[in-house]
Amino acid sequence: MFEEQERIQQNLKIIRGYLTKTFPGYEMTEDTSDPRICHRFTMTRLKTYEQFKLKVGWPRLSDNSNTPDKTRRSLEHGDVAGKMRDVNGQYFYW
């Protein structure tokens, strides 16, 4: 259980860093209201209130095979930020 929690925290840290880097000038908020289902992120540009949202499935966060390095590569190669922009204000489920 401790290992799973540590992996989840490491993966969340990678996702936070990715979103902060790819959405400069945006403020991040997180909603963990669906534990063991998903973790939600909202990136908001404070000047215009433009928002891009991401829902990360719990299995992606907790799976043994999803190391922080693999999570980083998946975010970048999967162009998650681009897909968040494509759904324009709706949650992109990853």
Side-chain angles (χ1 to χ4, degrees), residues 25-41:
Y26 284 71
E27 182 176 294
M28 177 186 301
T29 54
E30 295 181 51
D31 175 10
T32 56
S33 64
D34 294 327
R36 308 210 66 71
I37 297 171
C38 70
H39 193 93
R40 296 182 186 135
F41 297 89

Side-chain angles (χ1 to χ4, degrees), residues 39-62:
H39 193 93
R40 296 182 186 135
F41 297 89
T42 302
M43 302 302 291
T44 304
R45 182 179 294 269
L46 297 180
K47 292 179 182 179
T48 62
Y49 294 104
E50 177 181 43
Q51 291 187 327
F52 298 105
K53 300 178 180 185
L54 176 65
K55 258 188 212 181
V56 182
W58 202 258
R60 186 176 292 274
L61 292 172
S62 63

Side-chain angles (χ1 to χ4, degrees), residues 1-12 68:
M1 185 66 141
F2 176 76
E3 289 177 12
E4 180 186 42
Q5 287 300 318
E6 182 66 26
R7 186 174 37 263
I8 289 167
Q9 291 308 312
Q10 289 174 350
N11 284 328
L12 287 172

